[in-house]
Amino acid sequence: MNIHNLQQQFYQKLSAANDTKTLEELRNEYLGRKRGVLTALLKELSSVAPEERKNAGRQINELKQLVETELERKTELLSHAVPPEVVDWSLPGAETKLGGIHPITLVRQKIENIFRSMGYAIEEGPEIETDFYNFTALNFPPDHPARDTQDTLFVNRQDDSGKNLLLRTHTSPVQIRTMLKYPPPVRVLCPGRVYRKDEIDATHSPIFHQVEALVVDENITFADLKGTLLYFLQELFSAEVQLSFRPTFFPFTEPSADVSVSCVFCKSKGCSVCKYSGWIEILGSGMVHPNVLENVGYDSEKYTGFAFGLGLDRIAILMYGIPDIRLFFQNDIRFLSQFRIVMP
Ligand SMILES: [Zn+2]
């Protein structure tokens, strides 16, 4: 019998031994002074050739050590074993508490599903960004106020160009990363957490959530943007809606438009949600600025695109009538347990 087989055999017997009596028998079988297998092997050492004796002795002693340790360990283990429980089947069952999905996640999943059904890919990116992805590639001029420490949270570390890293102020850098990664056509949705230097109150938080969409292809026009937004918002609110576009300015789109949706809560008759205007401001949008396309190496003569972005927190606030943005971040179970529903 070689030592290795002996060891294997021991482990098999050890794992089968589930009471102290069997363990004691096992101890006798291997270490017993009279009939122990290992004791016998040690006694036989004198008959082994002198050149092999040292090695054989070492192996037997190692196994002996191991058997002792393992037996002790198992004895210790069994001494803590819980006695078999007597089950009273007539007792009432323990209540299992169901978790819920965070309202921001609910809204995010709903929006992702709408865009997946239109063939969009979902892309995510890092929350710590460089100036290039967050500003420069998006056509922000060097002196743009968003680059100021008043608005942006910077990280005390520099990128390769010596500029401070920052917490992304929007999910737009994911658009840049996507376009640098893939050639056109691109249809992508970029959801994620963003950061701005804001005082915390009922409607402001330095952390919030955005989702942006980007489409770049040949012959993409403002009509594609309008059609996509109408479909998206009708699906989101499960209602017929009208859209209102107002010209605005963003560095990364031209032309740019703020979009309002007709109030789905009062059917535009006027309510506290729409502040009695019949309209709810909901997102920013526009045609991708040619500079942005050129910055990622796309031919701006051949390709055009649209992009839009909206705040997930704001949508969740609207859809669920949540009075305070801080509720999203407080993990108060009384608040969260109200969302133990599955959205259609
Ligand atoms: Zn209203």
Side-chain angles (χ1 to χ4, degrees):
M1 165 81 54
N2 75 31
I3 292 287
H4 181 68
N5 288 347
L6 211 57
Q7 184 177 326
Q8 262 189 337
Q9 206 179 60
F10 168 72
Y11 270 116
Q12 277 167 10
K13 288 181 177 171
L14 183 72
S15 69
N18 281 321
D19 55 70
T20 42
K21 186 169 166 278
T22 323
L23 281 179
E24 199 44 46
E25 282 167 14
L26 205 55
R27 177 186 300 280
N28 269 331
E29 184 182 339
Y30 282 85
L31 305 173
R33 242 180 255 173
K34 283 182 185 158
R35 282 195 296 277
V37 182
L38 292 175
T39 322
L41 277 178
L42 281 171
K43 276 180 193 158
E44 282 167 25
L45 263 185
S46 53
S47 62
V48 172
E51 62 273 22
E52 288 170 22
R53 198 177 295 156
K54 197 172 161 197
N55 192 28
R58 187 178 51 78
Q59 285 189 339
I60 299 166
N61 273 316
E62 274 174 6
L63 182 57
K64 195 176 157 197
Q65 195 74 50
L66 183 125
V67 168
E68 276 168 358
T69 321
E70 290 291 349
L71 282 170
E72 251 170 56
R73 201 173 56 87
K74 185 98 187 218
T75 311
E76 172 76 9
L77 207 69
L78 285 179
S79 73
H80 292 300
V82 184
E85 261 181 277
V86 180
V87 178
D88 180 354
W89 297 103
S90 67
L91 285 173
E95 188 195 356
T96 309
K97 287 208 168 152
L98 273 184
I101 299 177
H102 194 283
I104 300 278
T105 310
L106 282 174
V107 169
R108 176 177 164 165
Q109 286 173 348
K110 178 153 190 179
I111 294 176
E112 285 183 357
N113 287 340
I114 295 168
F115 281 92
R116 272 206 194 94
S117 77
M118 290 195 273
Y120 283 60
I122 314 282
E123 285 280 336
E124 289 183 279
E127 291 176 18
I128 296 178
E129 267 297 3
T130 65
D131 177 276
F132 173 78
Y133 289 109
N134 198 78
F135 294 127
T136 304
L138 288 156
N139 202 35
F140 279 81
D143 56 352
H144 192 281
R147 292 179 124 127
D148 199 275
T149 48
Q150 296 255 307
D151 290 309
T152 301
L153 291 155
F154 288 91
V155 177
N156 197 14
R157 252 175 85 175
Q158 276 88 40
D159 63 17
D160 294 341
S161 66
K163 285 184 174 147
N164 268 79
L165 295 174
L166 50 92
L167 298 179
R168 65 178 181 191
T169 57
H170 45 186
T171 42
S172 311
V174 188
Q175 299 188 16
I176 299 298
R177 288 178 177 276
T178 305
M179 288 191 282
L180 284 170
K181 207 154 59 170
Y182 307 108
V186 162
R187 273 173 185 72
V188 73
L189 190 76
C190 315
R193 203 179 283 138
V194 299
Y195 302 83
R196 285 188 204 167
K197 209 163 177 180
D198 249 335
E199 293 298 324
I200 301 170
D201 63 27
T203 52
H204 294 89
S205 162
I207 308 173
F208 54 103
H209 304 80
Q210 274 192 341
V211 60
E212 291 188 18
L214 169 75
V215 169
V216 181
D217 202 347
E218 290 179 47
N219 305 317
I220 296 289
T221 69
F222 205 92
D224 296 306
L225 170 63
K226 285 173 77 174
T228 306
L229 285 178
L230 187 64
Y231 176 80
F232 159 54
L233 293 168
Q234 302 208 129
E235 287 292 306
L236 182 65
F237 291 111
S238 309
E240 294 277 316
V241 295
Q242 284 183 301
L243 301 183
S244 155
F245 290 77
R246 269 186 336 283
T248 186
F249 173 80
F250 301 117
F252 34 82
T253 44
E254 181 59 37
S256 308
D258 278 328
V259 179
S260 295
V261 64
S262 54
C263 183
V264 292
F265 303 98
C266 62
K267 301 267 179 285
S268 300
K269 287 191 188 77
C271 68
S272 60
V273 178
C274 62
K275 299 192 184 82
Y276 302 94
S277 70
W279 294 94
I280 302 169
E281 262 190 58
I282 206 141
L283 55 84
S285 67
M287 301 305 291
V288 182
H289 197 292
N291 288 354
V292 174
L293 295 175
E294 294 296 331
N295 285 341
V296 296
Y298 284 9
D299 182 352
S300 65
E301 295 290 324
K302 190 174 173 195
Y303 295 103
T304 48
F306 67 72
F308 59 87
L310 63 160
L312 291 174
D313 313 72
R314 179 158 163 70
I315 300 295
I317 284 170
L318 283 173
M319 291 185 91
Y320 303 118
I322 294 163
D324 193 320
I325 195 170
R326 287 170 289 196
L327 286 163
F328 290 138
F329 305 100
Q330 286 164 343
N331 285 331
D332 187 329
I333 202 101
R334 292 167 301 178
F335 169 71
L336 293 174
S337 63
Q338 294 174 56
F339 298 93
R340 244 182 255 150
I341 47 157
V342 180
M343 286 214 354

